[in-house]
Amino acid sequence: MSEREWQALTKSEEAFMVNSYEIDILAGVWGDLDDADQYRPVKELAAILLTLIDRGWIEVRRVAPWTSPSGEKGLQPGELVPRGQLPAVLECGQLGVPG
């Protein structure tokens, strides 16, 4: 992504991009949205995310369990959610990890 492309992002698009850079769970994006955007229907927010995915800037993965070499349990990005499944997954709340 170029500087010009970054500057052209809407606040909602920027929130999804920040979320993806942080490799945060998708629900974490609400903390980065403007107040008005926090009350938008999930379907509208999903449409914004899908435009970023279609540009190749974000991918959404499921959350997968992970165990560190020392035995500590945690989570990591799992399998990629196919583009065709994303609207249904996002609407039903099966949120993944953008990256």
Side-chain angles (χ1 to χ4, degrees), residues 47-61:
I48 295 167
L49 177 60
L50 291 173
T51 63
L52 298 170
I53 290 167
D54 291 342
R55 291 178 190 162
W57 294 343
I58 290 180
E59 59 184 27
V60 176
R61 295 181 170 274

Side-chain angles (χ1 to χ4, degrees), residues 76-90:
Q76 67 180 357
E79 68 181 60
L80 184 68
V81 178
R83 166 60 170 88
Q85 293 177 11
L86 279 169
V89 168
L90 295 170

Side-chain angles (χ1 to χ4, degrees), residues 14-53:
E14 186 177 321
F16 280 109
M17 293 299 294
V18 167
N19 188 257
S20 74
Y21 293 150
E22 294 172 348
I23 311 175
D24 198 0
I25 61 169
L26 197 50
V29 77
W30 268 268
D32 297 323
L33 294 172
D34 286 337
D35 289 341
D37 291 337
Q38 291 178 2
Y39 299 101
R40 293 174 73 176
V42 171
K43 190 172 188 170
E44 289 180 24
L45 293 173
I48 295 167
L49 177 60
L50 291 173
T51 63
L52 298 170
I53 290 167

